[in-house]
Each structure stands twice: as C-alpha cells, then as structure tokens.
Amino acid sequence: MSLTYNKKVPVCFTREEEYMLDGQSKICNWLYNQLLTACQKD
C-alpha cells in the first residue's frame, strides 16, 4: 500500500530572481514552440 500526500510550501523570490525566472520561462516557451513547429512540418 502506498500513501501519497502533498504540502504547499511558500517560495519567496527577490525581484531580480523573478526577472531571471521570467526570462528563462520565455526561452523555454520559445524553444517548445520551435520544436512543435518543426515536428508539425515533418
């Protein structure tokens, strides 16, 4: 038998860290869209 549970843990970021995460998120989104387009064309 397996027991699974979760717990919310607050995470606080500085303004700089928020900007860095936002930039990385945009890069990942761009890459995903590029790969999706390439696969659809194939």
Side-chain angles (χ1 to χ4, degrees):
M1 187 170 130
S2 174
L3 178 63
T4 303
Y5 67 95
N6 65 356
K7 180 178 179 179
K8 288 186 179 184
V9 179
V11 179
C12 299
F13 297 106
T14 65
R15 184 68 70 188
E16 267 184 27
E17 291 169 332
E18 288 178 7
Y19 288 136
M20 286 191 299
L21 288 170
D22 184 54
Q24 292 298 314
S25 173
K26 288 178 182 179
I27 291 169
C28 289
N29 190 19
W30 175 85
L31 178 59
Y32 170 82
N33 289 331
Q34 294 296 313
L35 293 172
L36 180 63
T37 301
C39 286
Q40 289 173 340
K41 287 181 181 178
D42 227 5

